[in-house]
Amino acid sequence: MRVRQYAQFELVKRKNISALKTALQKGDSTIERLHGLWGLAQLQRARTAETAPFITQFINDKKTIIRQHICQSLGDFTSSPSHEALLIQALSDPSQRVKLKAAIALGKVGTEKAKPALWKLIATNKGKEHIIRHISVRALARLKDQDGAIMQVNNKDPELRLAAVLVLRELESAELAKFVKDENKTIREEAIRAIYDKQIMAAMPALAVESHNIGNYSLPLQRRILFSNMWLGTAQNASNTIAIVNNPKSDKQIKEFALRALSRWSKPPENDPIFSLYRPTTKRNINIIPTISKGLTQVLEDSNGKILDLALKLAQDIKLPLSPKTLLAQVNNTKAPANIRISALNTLLSQDPKYIKYIPVMLKKEKNEILQGRLIELSYAHKLTNYNQLKYKYLSTKNIPQSRAIIKGLAMHSDLHPQLAQIWAQKKEVLPPEVFLDLYLAMKTLDSSTIKTLIAKFDSTADNAYNLTTSGGNSDSGKTIFEGQGACLQCHQINRKGGAQGPALDGIGTRQNPHTIMESLIHPNKLIAPGFGTFIVNTKGGKSIAGILLKEDDTSYQIKTASESLKIMKKDVANKQGPSSGMPPIARALKLSDLRDLIAYLESIKESKVKKRVKSSH
């Protein structure tokens, strides 16, 4: 191949047009003819010689590959009406490859005449060859045929309407809005994707209108419809968003996203929630209370669980007046989850501070430990009756929510900081281990010489603080870190979801204890799963072998290299390096509280107990 290529280049260099023409016209093999064609095309492109008229004589050659490469060459030449006519003719060639090359070439050198021919090619293709559709769309986009695409809006052929959407997507045209109501589901969905993904703001209102039909779409498209409202950011869009929450056909996840979006309506995120691309918007000052109050009230009346929790927080954030009677009913509903009752309590107090004085009574009657913790925090925050005596009553129980609340409360008041120092000295006697990290983190923020000395002494032992993260975490929060901030899914799988660069973590909570998990996150090389450690051995014979250590026994190493699996005898090894892990010490990149949650999540992943089916004797 190189010899033929060198020969072609040399003939071009010598401008031996006669030899190249002979090769194309009379070559003994197809490859010889192709080299003749390529050489003549080189001369035409360089404008060294006018070889195009000779080349085009073979546009109907019996060899498909010759016709194909002639079309490709015509796309590289300067545009001319005669060449364009030949390429349009080639769009009807029996070979799909020739059609493909002709369409690509017309995208480069075509004019107005090429546009109808390309639309005809899409129609005759009937969606059978996706690559034909793709290349034709790209060609029409390069020819900027927005008018041709708009003309397809009412075309009865769904293939042409779909192609029109794809052309308009390439052109980032606001005319895409005309296809959002198309009768064909695929076309509607492509139009929605195109408008949102390309951030075509002029067409975005067409997506927002679909908020009332959101239940007819898949989850990815529901997200686009929802967030189109957030980017537009008007009062009407806020109304659309709360309507999404009240729509029984909306996905639960979408309802949660919608309530979070409303909470930050005046200051939307700088990154796109779907693609994480930087898409900042200007800060807007819009009063959304009049437009969402009725809908939000309906959410509060009809919802439960996470949706109700987020709705209560939204009502608190936007200072939506809610009936104290309704809020008190939520606070006193002992069957409701603690987080719901706490959200209702926070909203009640923010709306009407007079209820703060009832907190000591509520604390005395309350049985829920989590709600007790919140009431203890509020007692300290507002210096309510006997707040400085709560420590003596609630620390003795070694209850986690109550202990955390006491620590937060003591940290609020400088005159109570000495009590934190006393608790630190006796933490093993008075606190559950799950709260040790909370005490440590609270003390780290205080400007007390005594406490600073205690913390400095504790930190003088390397990695001492990490030992506080092995208990007390929130596994739900840990899962969020695992799948997001920690980027663990890029390399590890759980339930077949994730990357394969590292070992699967199914059942890790059964195989390892929290301390071992913590050490693996700080020192990844300390314990490496078989088959995942990078290993290098240098033999006494001077060879260096690098790969993955699959197995080691008393006499040998089994190493998997890029090409084979080798068994290396230990007596033949001069020295070795590894095994070493490719995982970074992720623990050092996380806040201690986040690390604690991540460990709690990993510990919660237990081996599934699969019952073995007993074979019948019959």
Side-chain angles (χ1 to χ4, degrees):
M1 180 64 184
R2 286 186 178 179
V3 173
R4 289 193 297 269
Q5 187 182 62
Y6 289 147
Q8 172 196 319
F9 283 14
E10 186 61 28
L11 289 171
V12 171
K13 183 178 179 182
R14 296 181 184 185
K15 300 180 184 178
N16 193 337
I17 298 172
S18 176
L20 291 167
K21 285 183 175 180
T22 301
L24 172 57
Q25 188 172 25
K26 300 178 180 179
D28 294 332
S29 65
T30 302
I31 192 66
E32 181 181 351
R33 296 187 67 200
L34 281 172
H35 277 289
L37 169 60
W38 293 336
L40 292 169
Q42 280 183 270
L43 290 167
Q44 179 67 41
R45 288 197 302 272
R47 299 184 182 180
T48 304
E50 188 64 28
T51 60
F54 183 80
I55 290 173
T56 55
Q57 295 177 32
F58 300 89
I59 192 69
N60 294 315
D61 195 275
K62 64 180 181 179
K63 289 285 186 181
T64 300
I65 196 168
I66 297 295
R67 302 197 305 275
Q68 177 183 332
H69 282 271
I70 287 174
C71 290
Q72 182 173 334
S73 296
L74 291 178
D76 295 333
F77 298 164
T78 303
S79 178
S80 75
S82 61
H83 292 173
E84 183 178 26
L86 291 172
L87 288 169
I88 291 173
Q89 173 191 318
L91 293 178
S92 301
D93 194 279
S95 167
Q96 299 288 7
R97 287 174 179 261
V98 175
K99 292 178 182 177
L100 194 67
K101 292 295 183 179
I104 293 172
L106 284 169
K108 295 179 179 179
V109 299
T111 65
E112 289 294 318
K113 293 180 180 179
K115 295 174 182 178
L118 288 165
W119 285 111
K120 183 179 178 181
L121 175 62
I122 293 170
T124 55
N125 180 54
K126 296 180 180 179
K128 293 178 181 177
E129 296 287 345
H130 290 180
I131 188 65
I132 293 289
R133 179 206 291 154
H134 172 71
I135 292 302
S136 300
V137 164
R138 294 285 294 173
L140 288 164
R142 289 190 69 166
L143 296 174
K144 295 181 169 48
D145 192 19
Q146 175 172 285
D147 292 340
I150 296 170
M151 287 174 61
Q152 311 305 326
V153 171
N154 297 316
N155 196 303
K156 293 181 179 180
D157 187 349
E159 179 65 19
L160 285 171
R161 300 201 307 277
L162 176 59
V165 168
L166 298 175
V167 170
L168 294 172
R169 177 187 176 116
E170 291 292 322
L171 298 175
E172 299 187 14
S173 169
E175 298 295 334
L176 280 161
K178 294 178 178 178
F179 292 86
V180 172
K181 293 289 187 181
D182 195 280
E183 63 182 23
N184 184 288
K185 183 181 178 183
T186 300
I187 294 169
R188 291 198 305 272
E189 292 180 348
E190 283 300 325
I192 290 171
R193 286 191 182 94
I195 293 169
Y196 187 90
D197 298 0
K198 292 291 186 177
Q199 282 287 288
I200 305 171
M201 296 304 295
M204 203 72 80
L207 266 63
V209 169
E210 288 300 290
S211 298
H212 300 288
N213 302 317
I214 196 167
N216 298 331
Y217 295 98
S218 63
L219 178 59
L221 291 169
Q222 286 191 28
R223 295 178 73 185
R224 286 169 170 82
I225 293 168
L226 166 63
F227 292 129
S228 69
N229 285 288
M230 184 185 72
W231 291 122
L232 292 168
T234 67
Q236 178 57 51
N237 296 124
S239 178
N240 292 344
T241 303
I242 199 66
I244 288 172
V245 182
N246 282 309
N247 189 330
K249 292 184 178 180
S250 298
D251 187 273
K252 182 184 176 184
Q253 187 181 106
I254 292 298
K255 294 183 179 186
E256 293 177 9
F257 284 145
L259 289 167
R260 290 191 178 99
L262 288 168
S263 290
R264 53 185 310 175
W265 201 256
S266 295
K267 190 178 180 182
E270 292 187 336
N271 287 352
D272 183 272
I274 295 178
F275 301 109
S276 295
L277 296 175
Y278 183 61
R279 287 176 174 168
T281 59
T282 55
K283 188 175 181 180
R284 50 205 183 207
N285 187 17
I286 299 172
N287 181 15
I288 63 173
I289 296 178
T291 56
I292 73 166
S293 58
K294 184 177 179 180
L296 182 54
T297 301
Q298 184 180 340
V299 176
L300 292 167
E301 291 174 353
D302 299 342
S303 303
N304 51 43
K306 186 70 173 178
I307 302 297
L308 179 57
D309 184 23
L310 290 170
L312 285 166
K313 288 177 181 176
L314 172 60
Q316 183 181 352
D317 290 342
I318 66 173
K319 297 179 172 56
L320 176 69
L322 295 175
S323 162
K325 183 179 178 181
T326 300
L327 291 170
L328 278 170
Q330 291 284 1
V331 173
N332 295 323
N333 182 3
T334 57
K335 294 182 179 180
N339 61 320
I340 302 295
R341 298 177 65 196
I342 289 172
S343 293
L345 175 63
N346 292 338
T347 304
L348 175 67
L349 298 180
S350 66
Q351 286 188 185
D352 195 345
K354 75 178 182 182
Y355 287 95
I356 291 174
K357 63 184 179 182
Y358 297 112
I359 287 175
V361 177
M362 295 169 69
L363 177 58
K364 193 172 183 179
K365 294 181 178 179
E366 185 55 53
K367 303 296 182 184
N368 185 284
E369 297 171 348
I370 298 174
L371 196 61
Q372 283 178 344
R374 178 57 181 153
L375 292 168
I376 290 169
E377 286 181 42
L378 291 167
S379 298
Y380 277 99
H382 298 285
K383 294 187 176 181
L384 301 177
T385 306
N386 297 325
Y387 76 95
N388 54 359
Q389 301 297 313
L390 294 173
K391 178 189 77 168
Y392 302 104
K393 178 178 180 180
Y394 290 102
L395 276 191
S396 59
T397 64
K398 285 198 173 186
N399 176 278
I400 295 172
Q402 295 170 3
S403 298
R404 283 179 172 153
I406 294 293
I407 290 167
K408 287 182 181 179
L410 293 174
M412 293 177 190
H413 306 288
S414 57
D415 59 316
L416 301 180
H417 291 173
Q419 295 185 37
L420 285 173
Q422 295 171 8
I423 293 171
W424 178 261
Q426 303 174 315
K427 58 182 178 292
K428 292 183 180 179
E429 288 77 34
V430 299
L431 291 179
E434 293 84 352
V435 184
F436 289 175
L437 179 62
D438 300 88
L439 177 59
Y440 171 82
L441 293 175
M443 292 174 66
K444 286 275 283 188
T445 64
L446 302 181
D447 188 20
S448 162
S449 57
T450 302
I451 288 177
K452 284 183 176 180
T453 301
L454 289 172
I455 294 300
K457 182 179 179 181
F458 181 78
D459 287 342
S460 64
T461 302
D463 298 336
N464 219 7
Y466 289 110
N467 291 316
L468 305 179
T469 64
T470 57
S471 62
N474 183 303
S475 60
D476 290 337
S477 300
K479 182 179 181 181
T480 302
I481 294 165
F482 182 90
E483 295 179 351
Q485 178 186 355
C488 309
L489 275 180
Q490 291 183 14
C491 298
H492 297 281
Q493 288 188 358
I494 294 177
N495 292 330
R496 298 183 180 180
K497 178 184 177 183
Q501 295 93 323
L505 298 180
D506 300 276
I508 189 173
T510 301
R511 299 190 304 273
Q512 296 188 21
N513 61 45
H515 186 79
T516 308
I517 294 172
M518 179 268 292
E519 284 192 325
S520 297
L521 295 171
I522 300 173
H523 307 291
N525 291 326
K526 194 165 185 177
L527 182 63
I528 299 175
F532 290 94
T534 303
F535 193 61
I536 301 174
V537 295
N538 297 306
T539 68
K540 293 176 182 177
K543 288 185 178 180
S544 180
I545 301 166
I548 302 297
L549 181 62
L550 298 176
K551 186 179 179 182
E552 178 184 0
D553 56 31
D554 293 338
T555 60
S556 66
Y557 302 110
Q558 188 173 342
I559 303 172
K560 182 181 180 182
T561 68
S563 58
E564 58 184 334
S565 181
L566 300 173
K567 186 175 184 179
I568 310 296
M569 304 306 295
K570 286 187 174 180
K571 62 183 179 62
D572 298 327
V573 175
N575 56 67
K576 64 182 180 71
Q577 298 176 39
S580 58
S581 172
M583 186 179 90
I586 189 65
R588 302 192 187 279
L590 296 174
K591 294 190 295 185
L592 290 172
S593 55
D594 288 342
L595 175 60
R596 177 173 66 178
D597 291 340
L598 178 58
I599 291 171
Y601 171 62
L602 293 172
E603 185 195 5
S604 71
I605 304 171
K606 306 295 185 181
E607 295 281 7
S608 59
K609 296 179 180 180
V610 181
K611 294 183 180 180
K612 294 183 179 180
R613 186 177 294 175
V614 180
K615 291 183 179 180
S616 172
S617 58
H618 299 287

